[in-house]
Amino acid sequence: MMALAIAHAAASDEPAANLLFRSASETGGLACWLAVPDSVAGDKSPLVAVHGIRRDARQQAELFAQRANALGRPVIAPLFGEQEWPRYQQAIRRGRADLALIALMGALSAEGICRTSHFELFGFSGGAQFAHRFAMMHPQLINRLTVASAGWYTFPDSTQFPFGLSARTDGPDPWSAVTEDRIRRFLAIPTQVCVGADDTLRDANLRSGDRIDAQQGQNRLIRGIRWAQALKRAAEERGLPPRAAFFALSACDHRFLQCVLRGGLDRIVIPVDYGRRPVTGRCGRQCVTCDQPCKTRIDFLKPVS
């Protein structure tokens, strides 16, 4: 698969971004991998890409770098170390991963790497869990959200966090900051939910049990569809236009590299207009503009058993 990654990077004649590692600036701070274009566009928001439990932040930065560079957009891939951030997926647990990311973005802004106050947020697997919970806590910072292959979700209902929006009752809980106003702002964020069409294995890393299976489904594919359905219902109940879309990545399972190289996940996360020349899409057709990934869109409005 590494050879495929190299071929993927060489397929375009766009200049590659500069890839570098930025260590944590202080104790309790957050390190990250950066893909920085030669010229950062002042009006383009950066992409924050959050890794899964394998914590391969560098791979995220590498595979998004070329498309982001075409737009002058930095890619920031924070590294949540296993010792410092054992439960980063839930965003507000030990160490407050959400506040660490906000502090990192503030530092990068001061260094001139980020030139907007908001950013686009992506997460894969455990990173997708973090991403949607971060967006619920801090919707004012996010102008686009893509979650891919999350094992489970916080639903926009009245169950207790992390299953739903209600704060815990066993002492002070940061989740109580998620007010109705914040949820309305969260539901207004354009949101893409992506899962491999073959990501149906109930592996050891998938949280399971009677409660979560009943609420969310038996596997990641069904859970992604149900969460997208729930976002639609929550928006409509509040008189808001639904902003969530669900995509199944064709012939992909629970591997980030495969979802990018085979499923076109990078094209969903970072649409780029390559219209100035014909290119060959993953479907094998010559397209004047290849701005759409080769994907299967599932009608998530239909009930899923």
Side-chain angles (χ1 to χ4, degrees):
M1 291 297 281
M2 185 54 65
L4 285 176
I6 295 171
H8 176 77
S12 169
D13 58 11
E14 296 290 350
N18 301 307
L19 193 69
L20 57 94
F21 180 75
R22 182 186 187 278
S23 59
S25 57
E26 57 186 23
T27 302
L30 195 57
C32 67
W33 281 93
L34 294 166
V36 183
D38 292 332
S39 178
V40 177
D43 60 341
K44 300 291 186 180
S45 58
L47 171 68
V48 174
V50 186
H51 58 70
I53 60 173
R54 293 185 178 180
R55 291 173 161 81
D56 196 347
R58 177 172 182 163
Q59 185 183 63
Q60 299 239 350
E62 285 177 332
L63 292 183
F64 288 132
Q66 203 157 36
R67 294 183 69 81
N69 185 57
L71 296 175
R73 296 176 56 191
V75 178
I76 300 146
L79 177 58
F80 291 100
E82 189 170 4
Q83 296 299 318
E84 301 85 356
W85 313 96
R87 301 177 69 185
Y88 77 97
Q89 302 98 315
Q90 292 189 28
I92 62 167
R93 293 299 183 218
R94 172 182 158 186
R96 290 297 300 270
D98 63 326
L99 299 184
L101 177 57
I102 291 172
L104 172 63
M105 297 304 289
L108 294 175
S109 179
E111 295 167 13
I113 294 173
C114 300
R115 299 185 180 180
T116 65
S117 60
H118 49 269
F119 52 91
E120 295 190 8
L121 182 59
F122 166 81
F124 182 83
S125 192
Q129 294 182 38
F130 170 87
H132 80 272
R133 290 167 182 145
F134 181 97
M136 288 176 167
M137 282 285 291
H138 309 285
Q140 75 283 1
L141 299 177
I142 311 300
N143 58 7
R144 195 162 180 259
L145 173 67
T146 307
V147 294
S149 308
W152 62 298
Y153 301 84
T154 294
F155 272 60
D157 61 25
S158 60
T159 55
Q160 276 191 356
F161 180 81
F163 295 96
L165 299 178
S166 295
R168 292 173 176 265
T169 58
D170 54 351
D173 189 345
W175 194 253
S176 62
V178 181
T179 60
E180 173 62 19
D181 177 66
R182 291 197 190 189
I183 288 302
R184 291 180 68 90
R185 295 180 72 171
F186 166 75
L187 293 170
I189 298 171
T191 299
Q192 301 173 120
V193 186
C194 307
V195 186
D198 297 332
D199 194 351
T200 56
L201 179 67
R202 287 173 64 84
D203 56 53
N205 293 322
L206 181 70
R207 179 175 290 207
S208 60
D210 292 343
R211 179 184 180 186
I212 194 168
D213 290 349
Q215 181 197 39
Q216 306 196 18
Q218 294 288 317
N219 58 57
R220 294 181 182 90
L221 180 62
I222 292 176
R223 290 180 182 186
I225 296 170
R226 285 191 180 179
W227 192 63
Q229 290 174 331
L231 295 188
K232 175 185 181 296
R233 287 193 300 270
E236 290 179 337
E237 288 168 359
R238 292 165 172 80
L240 302 173
R243 303 299 302 275
F246 180 85
F247 298 101
L249 306 178
S250 302
C252 293
D253 53 31
H254 195 65
R255 287 175 287 180
F256 174 68
L257 189 61
Q258 184 187 68
C259 288
V260 172
L261 301 185
R262 182 181 295 173
L265 179 59
D266 56 333
R267 298 183 179 211
I268 295 175
V269 176
I270 309 173
V272 177
D273 184 3
Y274 287 98
R276 61 185 178 277
R277 67 184 186 279
V279 296
T280 302
R282 289 182 177 85
C283 58
R285 294 193 298 266
Q286 287 285 320
C287 306
V288 174
T289 299
C290 191
D291 192 22
Q292 296 299 318
C294 296
K295 62 185 180 297
T296 300
R297 179 166 183 153
I298 287 182
D299 184 357
F300 65 83
L301 309 185
K302 296 178 180 178
V304 177
S305 60

